[in-house]
Amino acid sequence: MSYTLTINGEPHEVDAAPETPLLWVLRDHLGMTGTKYGCGIAQCGACTVHIDGQALRSCNLPVDAVAGADIRTIEGLDQDGEHVLQKLWVEMNVAQCGYCQSGMLMAAARLLEDNPDPSDRDIDLRIDNICRCGTYPRVREAIHRAAEIMRG
Amino acid sequence: MSVYQPLPHDSGPLHVTGRARYVDDTELPPGALHLAFGLSPVARGTITAMDLAAVRAAPGVVLVLTHADLPFDADTSPTNHDEPLLSDGTVHYVGQPVFLVVAETHMLARRAARLARIEIAEEEPVLTIERALELDWRFEEGPRIWEKGDAGAALAAAPHRLKGRLEMGGQEHFYLEGQVATAYPQEDGGMHVVSSTQHPTEAQHKVAVAIGRHMNDVRVETRRMGGGFGGKESQGNSPAIACAVAARATGRVCRMRYDRDDDMTITGKRHDFRVDYDVGYDDTGRILAIDFTHYTRCGWGQDLSLAVGDRAMLHADNAYLVPNMRITSHRLRTNMQSATAFRGFGGPQGLFGIEQVIHHLAHVTGRDEIELRRLNYYAECEDGAAPQASATRTASGATRLSSGTGAAKRFGGAHSPEPNRPLANLTPYGQEVTDFILHAMTDRILAMADYARRKDEIDGWNAQSPILKRGIGFVPVKFGISFTNTQLNQAGALVSVYHDGSVILNHGGTEMGQGLNQKVAQVVAARFGLDAAKVKITATDTFKVPNTSATSASTGSDLNGMAAQNAADTIRDRMAQSLALKYGTSADSVRFENGRVTVGNKADLTFAEAAGECYEDRVALSSTGYYRTPDISWDRIAGKGRPFLYFAHGVAVSEVVIDTLTGENRVLRTDILHDCGASLNPAIDIGQIEGGYVQGVGWLTTEELVWDDKGRLRTHAPSTYKIPACSDRPDVFNVTLWEGANRAPTVYRSKAVGEPPFMLGISAFLALSNACAACGPNWPGLNAPATAEAVLAAVERARGQG
């Protein structure tokens, strides 16, 4: 099947079987490797992207379901790393191995778009991405700091 | 100076934009192939027939290999040559690779691998400690036994005895990036392997043998891993070898990436342990003797199990001076994944044993746990006391320490050790403890955590709360630093200064998120008086730095930092000599500071100008550096020697709450004080402490590995195996670094930090046990992992209903 996907505001033509997970279309068909494979069953969150403004796991999301949707990946958060979360993530040394962090950032960005002043509890509920390095304390701190900055 | 600064991880800007490339992110050339293993569905047996016709005929399949098709010796074991890449006709665990599919795509390879028809004459799998003991299925000829003093006699003579058993589960690494490698065949039959491995040299060696070549034909490169935690020390060998073998056979680039279920099914995990203890103690609670027996299920291959078992024994004492101790260690062979390295490497299991002993002792004697700990601690070693300690040796070789007196004065209080305690500060393996600081650290953490007040408050709260119960737990950690396999305590580095003044660094360590590259770059930059950002870090590459050791045992920055420092110093000394000669002054008047090179009072150059002038004067601006850990020796059979250069310390207080109706539980607050010596990078080190603690708590609470009676791992995905998530971290989490330089001559007097904080998670387990104990008068006998079910059962035992 041929699909036109809108990814980070740009149209992309891909030819893929309808059940192909979006993750594989991004990584293998389009070479956008910032989004990661972690578990393949929508649990770990390494593959989190935004679909029409929702943070969703892309590893079990068929490409057929997202044709026509507005897709945003880590490459579209800010390629120069100028998003407030990206800047704080570097400054506060959040990432260790970094592998889960593109998904973590996409989840965090979406949370702040919905909730300009999230509590710890809000963060726990919405950031259900797994990080085996255990960067959670800094993820929480960086989200709080970003929220403060974004609120001005 | 660039060391001691909390600089961000060098890959930070790449991590947050998705530009950091992991092995599976590199683009493959057209025609590249993908691999998948066909796995044994049976835990033990002999293959009687294997029909792979459907596999070969499947769409996209280019090649299918079995053991018989392998032209050379493809073995993946790091130690014992007992793990053939593909089954040799016998199968030893569910998930053992039996054949290898090479196909056009990852998915086609995986689909084809499911089409095999394999007939296996099944035998009863050996899955339990009891069955393995019965059959004497073990590694080595019998249990390893080390003894200090005479534990049997001391136990018999002891006024009081306590016996118990602690069971602790294993742990899946769950590195977010699974095992992955890519092999690029070279024009001369050599192989370039890009691998997510903590041990590139081992991969190089194993690949070379598997393709019938020498090590100089195989280049292994590792830029970064998406997590390692020990799980990529030996477990990365299989995909690397498989890719190389397939690339050699096809002449095409080959990549292998385990799917998560395959990864969890195929690869080894942390060793689970049973620790039996028999303790003798006196009326004051002082431990006179312990007889420990360790049982661990090592799985089907020896892998690193002997060293893991040894390190468990080496940490059976943790922070406690026990005059008589016997440790018996059974390393049992079972039909399971080959248990392997995991952060702490047996240390956590050994250490947990004696912490449970103290915890249990406190319960039966009604004494305060911390009082008991302090009573039994090693004697404190004052600053500067360490080097002189040997001067006070008595004729019999025993050492009388004076530091106990000093400690009592300095850190005072009723719980401090008796002055002039007439016992040598010797570990059960005969190493003198010369840097013990846990008395002082304990005083500090108890104050920082407001322990005494909170403990009283919790006791009062529990008395009023019928359903929810809280508990508080404390743990000290003393962790030995150095590989116990002495030959691994060496490292190399390669540093080059270009004539524009830019610097490039390569060393033998690998980056798995621990910030090693950043730390080593800071060291090199400091030697040249540059900002750390001026030093570029490159991928670990066995063609640049040979004979590397695994990045493990927490030694990455100790070893590679020192090797890189030595390389940089060689270049700096050459530059100083050349510039001194040119400007007519002495080399020791040349200073490298703040990005400038001052040559006495004769010249003041930028570093780039200095490099340019040295190049013009034909100075060699590239150098290797080498380091070998001094002052260590070890006889693992006798269990005697000085295996560790020094000890790293930490203390933690955790508070938890449990729901006595469901067993659900969570950590409310954690306070940690940790000893990184003079931290090379406090931001990175504190990150290691936070992450290590979270991982340690996971091991002891939610992470449960379950094998069924057929030997099938039932917890092979994050849906069934629960590692900590954001919501599991404590609401209050205070981490502080102890201020104090390493007394051992390490790089900038820093200490290793990768593994020691992992064991601080034991404080959460002890807090849970205390919360269970608050439910009734009996010993709750909580085992690990303390899942909700285990907590519920412990609550019932405490109430006498269990």
Side-chain angles (χ1 to χ4, degrees), chain B residues 145-152 154 287-292 313 315-318 320-328 354 378 427-429 640:
Chain B
I145 303 171
W146 300 342
E147 185 155 12
K148 170 191 178 184
D150 185 340
I287 296 174
L288 303 172
I290 308 181
D291 188 355
F292 275 121
M313 297 170 83
H315 289 79
D317 59 329
N318 189 22
Y320 309 103
L321 178 50
V322 179
N324 300 282
M325 190 185 288
R326 179 166 54 222
I327 314 154
T328 304
I354 197 161
Y378 284 103
T427 63
Y429 45 93
K640 295 290 174 208

Side-chain angles (χ1 to χ4, degrees), chain B residues 316-364:
Chain B
D317 59 329
N318 189 22
Y320 309 103
L321 178 50
V322 179
N324 300 282
M325 190 185 288
R326 179 166 54 222
I327 314 154
T328 304
S329 172
H330 297 271
R331 297 86 190 262
L332 302 168
R333 191 154 69 85
T334 52
N335 291 116
M336 301 155 88
Q337 293 82 351
S338 180
T340 189
F342 196 145
R343 200 175 196 169
F345 203 77
Q349 294 94 318
L351 194 150
F352 189 16
I354 197 161
E355 287 307 320
Q356 180 79 348
V357 164
I358 304 263
H359 181 61
H360 196 175
L361 201 56
H363 191 269
V364 298

Side-chain angles (χ1 to χ4, degrees), chain B residues 117-309:
Chain B
R117 287 163 57 180
I118 305 175
E119 288 172 30
I120 298 173
E122 287 190 52
E123 294 172 75
E124 179 214 340
V126 176
L127 301 169
T128 63
I129 290 171
E130 289 74 15
R131 188 74 181 126
L133 285 170
E134 216 170 277
L135 297 174
D136 202 30
W137 268 33
R138 62 172 72 241
F139 296 99
E140 295 190 297
E141 69 291 349
R144 280 264 75 71
I145 303 171
W146 300 342
E147 185 155 12
K148 170 191 178 184
D150 185 340
L155 283 172
H160 306 284
R161 293 279 282 274
L162 172 69
K163 293 184 185 185
R165 168 172 289 182
L166 174 66
E167 306 265 8
M168 62 192 93
Q171 188 176 27
E172 162 62 35
H173 299 87
F174 215 102
Y175 25 61
L176 260 284
E177 177 211 37
Q179 305 285 347
V180 55
T182 310
Y184 302 80
Q186 302 298 294
E187 61 185 12
D188 60 355
M191 202 61 66
H192 177 198
V193 180
V194 180
S195 171
S196 183
T197 176
Q198 291 172 241
H199 202 344
T201 290
E202 186 171 275
Q204 177 191 25
H205 180 232
K206 303 300 287 191
V207 164
V209 174
I211 63 168
R213 291 279 178 152
H214 292 290
M215 288 171 80
N216 65 0
D217 288 318
V218 179
R219 174 184 174 201
V220 175
E221 198 181 354
T222 303
R223 173 60 186 89
R224 63 172 62 80
M225 282 164 270
F229 316 114
K232 291 172 180 170
E233 184 167 344
S234 62
Q235 304 299 295
N237 290 345
S238 283
I241 295 167
C243 286
V245 167
R248 181 184 175 279
T250 60
R252 290 155 76 172
V253 174
C254 288
R255 173 169 293 168
M256 184 170 213
R257 170 179 74 68
Y258 292 174
D259 188 76
R260 178 61 58 184
D261 290 81
D262 286 352
D263 199 310
M264 293 181 77
T265 305
I266 295 169
T267 66
K269 297 145 206 338
R270 181 185 296 282
H271 292 69
D272 53 31
F273 266 66
R274 171 186 296 170
V275 177
D276 284 347
Y277 48 89
D278 184 353
V279 184
Y281 61 99
D282 67 15
D283 293 338
T284 68
R286 195 186 295 277
I287 296 174
L288 303 172
I290 308 181
D291 188 355
F292 275 121
T293 309
H294 292 176
Y295 303 89
T296 183
R297 294 187 295 178
C298 300
W300 75 292
Q302 180 176 301
D303 200 299
L304 299 162
S305 293
L306 301 189
V308 168

Side-chain angles (χ1 to χ4, degrees), chain A residues 24 27 34 36-38 74 79 86 89-90 93 96-99 124 127 130 132-133 136-138 140, chain B residues 7 9 15-16 19 22 24-25 172-174 257 259-260 683 687-688 690-691 695 703 723-724 729 731:
Chain A
W24 302 115
R27 290 182 57 84
K36 305 300 182 194
Y37 167 83
I74 186 69
Q79 190 53 65
Q86 290 170 311
W89 239 245
V90 174
N93 231 334
Q96 291 185 25
C97 85
Y99 193 83
D124 288 352
I127 310 295
I130 289 173
R132 191 44 146 169
C133 301
Y136 306 125
R138 291 183 185 188
R140 175 179 60 178
Chain B
L7 300 173
H9 193 289
H15 288 148
V16 301
R19 283 185 287 143
Y22 302 80
D24 195 38
D25 297 338
E172 162 62 35
H173 299 87
F174 215 102
R257 170 179 74 68
D259 188 76
R260 178 61 58 184
Q688 286 296 298
E690 291 169 344
Q695 208 171 62
E703 298 186 36
I723 75 168
R729 51 109 186 87
D731 291 337

Side-chain angles (χ1 to χ4, degrees), chain B residues 574-590:
Chain B
R574 286 180 195 151
M575 290 176 74
Q577 277 174 15
S578 170
L579 293 167
L581 192 65
K582 178 173 180 177
Y583 288 100
T585 182
S586 65
D588 53 17
S589 72
V590 180

Side-chain angles (χ1 to χ4, degrees), chain B residues 432-736:
Chain B
E432 188 180 351
V433 178
T434 57
D435 56 3
F436 194 77
I437 54 175
L438 282 168
H439 289 275
M441 290 182 74
T442 301
D443 286 347
R444 181 88 70 84
I445 192 69
L446 296 184
M448 291 168 72
D450 196 14
Y451 176 85
R453 187 198 61 76
R454 284 170 59 209
K455 188 168 184 306
D456 285 347
E457 187 270 322
I458 289 167
D459 289 345
W461 189 89
N462 281 343
Q464 304 298 318
S465 174
I467 306 296
L468 300 180
K469 298 286 183 189
R470 283 154 66 202
I472 192 162
F474 164 81
V475 77
V477 169
K478 161 182 143 288
F479 192 79
I481 304 299
S482 294
F483 285 100
T484 56
N485 181 353
T486 304
Q487 71 178 19
L488 295 175
N489 294 294
Q490 57 176 323
L494 175 63
V495 174
S496 302
V497 175
Y498 291 97
H499 64 59
D500 67 352
S502 58
V503 180
I504 198 153
L505 160 66
N506 197 272
H507 59 82
T510 56
E511 176 63 41
M512 61 195 102
Q514 82 281 41
L516 173 63
N517 281 344
Q518 178 66 39
K519 285 188 178 179
V520 178
Q522 286 177 242
V523 169
V524 169
R527 306 314 283 179
F528 290 122
L530 296 169
D531 286 341
K534 301 285 186 191
V535 178
K536 180 162 177 163
I537 306 150
T538 55
T540 314
D541 185 337
T542 58
F543 275 7
K544 289 183 181 166
V545 175
N547 305 322
T548 62
S549 293
T551 307
S552 62
S554 305
T555 59
S557 54
D558 279 10
L559 295 176
N560 297 290
M562 205 62 120
Q565 173 176 301
N566 290 339
D569 285 358
T570 300
I571 299 169
R572 194 180 63 177
D573 292 349
R574 286 180 195 151
M575 290 176 74
Q577 277 174 15
S578 170
L579 293 167
L581 192 65
K582 178 173 180 177
Y583 288 100
T585 182
S586 65
D588 53 17
S589 72
V590 180
R591 292 273 175 277
F592 293 77
E593 286 166 347
N594 303 320
R596 301 194 73 82
V597 182
T598 53
V599 189
N601 56 7
K602 304 290 179 63
D604 182 5
L605 311 167
T606 64
F607 184 80
E609 289 165 346
E613 291 187 18
C614 287
Y615 169 72
E616 286 167 17
D617 286 338
R618 298 189 296 169
V619 175
L621 291 174
S622 181
S623 176
T624 58
Y626 178 77
Y627 175 72
R628 62 201 294 267
T629 309
D631 205 16
I632 47 174
S633 63
W634 177 235
D635 178 345
R636 65 170 292 271
I637 302 301
K640 295 290 174 208
R642 191 174 189 282
F644 303 123
L645 179 61
Y646 64 91
F647 295 98
H649 306 92
V651 281
V653 173
S654 294
E655 181 184 336
V656 303
V657 62
I658 64 170
D659 180 332
T660 58
L661 297 178
T662 62
E664 284 176 280
N665 57 81
R666 58 173 306 149
V667 182
L668 300 173
R669 173 175 168 176
T670 299
D671 295 85
I672 290 173
L673 178 63
H674 197 81
D675 162 32
C676 298
S679 169
L680 284 174
N681 182 320
I684 284 173
D685 284 355
I686 290 174
Q688 286 296 298
I689 296 164
E690 291 169 344
Y693 172 83
V694 168
Q695 208 171 62
V697 173
W699 170 47
L700 296 176
T701 56
T702 60
E703 298 186 36
E704 185 175 33
L705 291 163
V706 178
W707 286 268
D708 67 15
D709 57 6
K710 295 276 191 188
R712 292 174 296 199
L713 178 68
R714 308 310 298 191
T715 50
H716 52 78
S719 48
T720 44
Y721 184 80
K722 187 175 179 323
I723 75 168
C726 222
S727 51
D728 293 311
R729 51 109 186 87
D731 291 337
V732 180
F733 196 178
N734 301 313
V735 178
T736 308

